[in-house]
Amino acid sequence: MQLPAAEPYKIKMVEPIYLSTRTEREQWIREAKYNLFNLRSEQVYIDLLTDSGTGAMSDRQWAAIMTGDESYAGSSSYYHLKDVIKNLFGFDYFLPTHQGRAAENVLFSALVKDGDLIPGNSHFDTTKGHIEFRHAIAVDCTIQESFEPSNLHPFKGNVDIDQLKEVLDNNPIEHIPFIILTLTCNSSGGQPVSMQNIREVKALADQYNIPLLFDSARFAENAWFISQREAGYQNKTIREIVLEMSSYADGMTMSSKKDGIVNIGGFIATRRKEWYDQACTFNIMFEGFVTYGGMAGRDMNALAVGLMEATEPDYLTSRIGQVQYLGEQLSGYGITVQQPYGGHAIFVDARAFLPYVRQEEFIAQTLSIELYLEAGIRAVEVGTLMADRDPLTRENRYPKLEFMRLAIPRRVYSNLHLDVIAVALKNLYDRRLEIKLGYRITQEAPILRHFTVELEPIAM
Ligand code: F0G
């Protein structure tokens, strides 16, 4: 009999969690104005709000923390991380930032101007926020299959090449500072981009002389999917695939809180000296001197180790296997989720789950609140609330899909926790037709409203 695949690590430290009562949760969610971001973490039993900065560091990472060099300039931790980045991605220039959106802020301050267009595959919300904040437009060129939850296309993060070509043909090239590829594509369900698609985007970018930027937050998970699903990559190592992926890019922004397996950190890496030179000034203004840029030396050390651990095949098989395990259970209960299952999260199709709740009443948010009430599980809405208002008309933007995202932190929960999540959702699914009314907004911010929005239930 073949041995089952267990986690390639054992647990050295534990953090207690508390399962509250439904009555407690009813009070807490009311006090939180029905926004799950407003809950205190002690009020949450299993926290699937994000896989960002919530992973468990290894003993080697903690050991690296102790040998961090906190020098203001020229820290050895900076040079250690610089070497790891050069070896993994092949980029000569690197700037640390305190997290991914800070990398976007610094690089886009140098590159994005009023009236620009940035085509890409379902830009992440902070990426889009940093584009729109500069009065530029994020043009989503993701393939149509990505918007069909049951479509089994193996690379639903891919860009539609014809659509991208149309954007490049019909707009002034000087207003397209770069094309951005998000690997994996978070907004479409942690879906990977194939090497072939990366190559095709690069060929088009070259033809129009436009640089290609990667948003690499989950680059290792993307490489793992390529190794599993794309012909010609079965005998390549994850690191070989990562290096080939980045060989097609001019640079990357990175949220190290994902595939860096650290709790805070980010960076910009590039082969373009002029990008580096321009970004340096903004890095010094917004983040810190170029050799620490918002990160402690110890955190750069931990990141250098984390990047290597995240590109170990056994780690990736276990990590993504856990996400698939949850996806299979939910599908087994008849719940519609984005298929194939993503790398970091399961995206539940909230519209199929709650057919009576209207999109104007925030279907995926309603489902997330119900899941919290059912079992103290905190998910996140990826739907109308997150889609925000159109910057010009100020009307609500209604996305094609209403998702509730169950993001799985790295190396944190056991499969028994995942069983609890699956049963909680099954219980909700059994009584889903009783849930008919959603929520209305009582207060919202002008941009990135989902973080701070306040809501109230719509009464009968
Ligand atoms: N790009 C992608 C694809 C992301 O998923 C995120 C963050 C960022 C950029 C920004 O990075 O948080 O370090 O500033 N995603 C988190 C999430 C917040 O929950 O998916 P950051």
Side-chain angles (χ1 to χ4, degrees), residues 64-77 292 295-301:
I65 290 259
M66 293 308 294
T67 55
D69 173 1
E70 305 305 336
S71 303
Y72 190 97
S75 151
S76 61
S77 302
Y292 75 86
M295 289 187 76
R298 64 180 81 99
D299 288 338
M300 289 192 279
N301 258 13

Side-chain angles (χ1 to χ4, degrees), residues 247-311:
S247 73
Y248 302 119
D250 292 87
M252 62 190 271
T253 52
M254 175 72 188
S255 167
S256 307
K257 302 168 73 173
K258 285 82 169 175
D259 279 351
I261 330 186
V262 288
N263 303 116
I264 195 74
F267 60 86
I268 298 164
T270 177
R271 63 182 85 258
R272 286 184 172 247
K273 183 166 186 313
E274 74 279 13
W275 277 11
Y276 173 78
D277 288 343
Q278 285 172 278
C280 274
T281 310
F282 292 105
N283 214 62
I284 294 169
M285 282 200 306
F286 298 153
E287 295 294 300
F289 182 63
V290 296
T291 62
Y292 75 86
M295 289 187 76
R298 64 180 81 99
D299 288 338
M300 289 192 279
N301 258 13
L303 173 56
V305 177
L307 287 169
M308 297 309 286
E309 291 182 354
T311 47

Side-chain angles (χ1 to χ4, degrees), residues 117-415:
L117 286 179
I118 322 277
N121 56 338
S122 298
H123 311 59
F124 182 65
D125 58 350
T126 61
T127 318
K128 199 188 223 170
H130 274 295
I131 291 170
E132 292 179 350
F133 184 71
R134 291 171 173 81
H135 305 288
I137 297 171
V139 187
D140 185 0
C141 300
T142 316
I143 54 168
Q144 180 51 35
E145 288 87 335
S146 172
F147 303 100
E148 299 159 7
S150 303
N151 190 314
L152 289 173
H153 191 293
F155 291 100
K156 285 168 104 169
N158 279 359
V159 158
D160 181 329
I161 299 294
D162 292 337
Q163 198 184 333
L164 176 62
K165 188 166 182 329
E166 212 174 293
V167 174
L168 303 185
D169 278 338
N170 293 318
N171 291 285
I173 292 306
E174 62 277 15
H175 273 299
I176 306 182
F178 53 84
I179 299 165
I180 187 162
L181 275 183
T182 305
L183 313 167
T184 59
C185 187
N186 185 2
S187 308
S188 64
Q191 297 293 322
V193 180
S194 70
M195 195 72 88
Q196 189 190 333
N197 194 251
I198 295 175
R199 248 185 254 118
E200 286 169 3
V201 172
K202 167 66 174 163
L204 210 53
D206 280 351
Q207 198 183 319
Y208 289 79
N209 203 17
I210 298 172
L212 176 59
L213 178 70
F214 285 174
D215 173 348
S216 301
R218 300 178 182 85
F219 72 95
E221 291 170 7
N222 201 86
W224 187 89
F225 281 117
I226 289 175
S227 81
Q228 299 293 308
R229 296 184 184 166
E230 194 160 351
Y233 288 93
Q234 278 64 50
N235 295 323
K236 296 224 154 101
T237 66
I238 295 295
R239 288 184 196 137
E240 282 167 343
I241 296 172
V242 168
L243 195 57
E244 182 181 340
M245 278 164 30
S246 45
S247 73
Y248 302 119
D250 292 87
M252 62 190 271
T253 52
M254 175 72 188
S255 167
S256 307
K257 302 168 73 173
K258 285 82 169 175
D259 279 351
I261 330 186
V262 288
N263 303 116
I264 195 74
F267 60 86
I268 298 164
T270 177
R271 63 182 85 258
R272 286 184 172 247
K273 183 166 186 313
E274 74 279 13
W275 277 11
Y276 173 78
D277 288 343
Q278 285 172 278
C280 274
T281 310
F282 292 105
N283 214 62
I284 294 169
M285 282 200 306
F286 298 153
E287 295 294 300
F289 182 63
V290 296
T291 62
Y292 75 86
M295 289 187 76
R298 64 180 81 99
D299 288 338
M300 289 192 279
N301 258 13
L303 173 56
V305 177
L307 287 169
M308 297 309 286
E309 291 182 354
T311 47
E312 288 286 344
D314 287 351
Y315 156 75
L316 282 166
T317 302
S318 158
R319 189 275 183 291
I320 298 180
Q322 204 182 31
V323 178
Q324 317 285 300
Y325 173 77
L326 176 61
E328 274 157 25
Q329 288 197 69
L330 298 184
S331 299
Y333 292 136
I335 297 169
T336 309
V337 304
Q338 173 75 303
Q339 302 249 17
Y341 310 123
H344 68 295
I346 294 298
F347 283 59
V348 177
D349 181 346
R351 211 196 298 251
F353 203 111
L354 296 180
Y356 293 146
V357 178
R358 295 162 55 219
Q359 198 169 17
E360 305 87 275
E361 297 178 6
F362 309 110
I363 310 169
Q365 181 69 10
T366 305
L367 182 56
S368 306
I369 293 166
E370 288 293 330
L371 179 60
Y372 174 69
L373 290 172
E374 178 70 24
I377 296 162
R378 173 156 69 170
V380 76
E381 189 250 23
V382 181
T384 303
L385 268 184
M386 190 183 271
D388 246 316
R389 292 179 186 274
D390 183 285
L392 299 176
T393 67
R394 302 307 301 155
E395 292 297 322
N396 270 328
R397 283 190 285 214
Y398 291 107
K400 293 185 198 164
L401 293 168
E402 285 283 330
F403 279 132
M404 174 178 72
R405 186 183 76 170
L406 308 167
I408 311 297
R410 292 167 183 76
R411 307 190 287 209
V412 170
Y413 291 114
S414 72
N415 282 4

Side-chain angles (χ1 to χ4, degrees), residues 19-30 34 36 39 43 365-379 424 428 431 435 439 457:
L19 176 56
S20 49
T21 63
R22 189 176 176 104
T23 312
E24 284 174 321
R25 292 192 292 274
E26 281 168 357
Q27 184 193 332
W28 293 336
I29 194 72
R30 196 177 331 109
Y34 300 95
L36 294 134
L39 290 171
Q43 297 168 339
Q365 181 69 10
T366 305
L367 182 56
S368 306
I369 293 166
E370 288 293 330
L371 179 60
Y372 174 69
L373 290 172
E374 178 70 24
I377 296 162
R378 173 156 69 170
L428 271 183
R431 56 180 177 80
I435 303 165
Y439 290 79

